[in-house]
Amino acid sequence: DYNGNFEYFSLESDVSINPPGNFEMSQNYPNPSNPKSKINFEIPVNGKVTIKVYDITGREVITLLDETREADYYTIEFDGTDLASGAYFYRIISEGEGKSFTKTLKMILVK
């Protein structure tokens, strides 16, 4: 502020960022991609997370993630440099603490 006017804001309580309340995986962006895009996902429990990409015939073409993760918000990058242009599907499977989640979404790769 260049004219010297300012005002302080007083928070009533502390700001805290909690783990997500639900499982979720969002659409990749940008979509269509050329050749890189990002995928956001949220897991509310600690557990194993697997994200795989499949071609239009259902054949697995790449594994983006296959490891144990803590409950949190994540972003993973998909790089389709070595893949042909076309439609692909990506699926998340997350299991932990007695809960499981599976979701599949479509992405378009254009080169």
Side-chain angles (χ1 to χ4, degrees):
D1 193 356
Y2 295 111
N3 66 4
N5 293 334
F6 64 91
E7 182 178 337
Y8 289 106
F9 180 78
S10 178
L11 289 174
E12 299 293 323
S13 62
D14 292 334
V15 175
S16 64
I17 300 174
N18 296 323
N22 297 316
F23 288 99
E24 187 57 55
M25 180 174 68
S26 62
Q27 183 68 49
N28 66 305
Y29 64 93
N31 189 26
S33 62
N34 178 16
K36 295 183 179 183
S37 67
K38 295 185 181 203
I39 300 169
N40 295 325
F41 63 98
E42 309 168 4
I43 53 173
V45 295
N46 299 342
K48 182 164 175 73
V49 180
T50 304
I51 300 177
K52 295 183 179 186
V53 178
Y54 301 90
D55 65 11
I56 198 74
T57 64
R59 184 177 53 99
E60 180 184 326
V61 294
I62 190 169
T63 299
L64 298 176
L65 182 67
D66 188 15
E67 60 188 45
T68 301
R69 291 282 176 111
E70 293 184 10
D72 208 349
Y73 302 88
Y74 293 97
T75 299
I76 191 164
E77 185 174 275
F78 165 74
D79 186 354
T81 303
D82 298 333
L83 300 176
S85 295
Y88 292 88
F89 297 94
Y90 58 102
R91 173 181 286 165
I92 185 171
I93 299 172
S94 179
E95 298 174 336
E97 299 180 17
K99 296 181 179 180
S100 64
F101 173 72
T102 302
K103 185 173 182 179
T104 305
L105 293 171
K106 180 180 176 181
M107 76 168 102
I108 305 296
L109 179 62
V110 179
K111 291 186 177 182

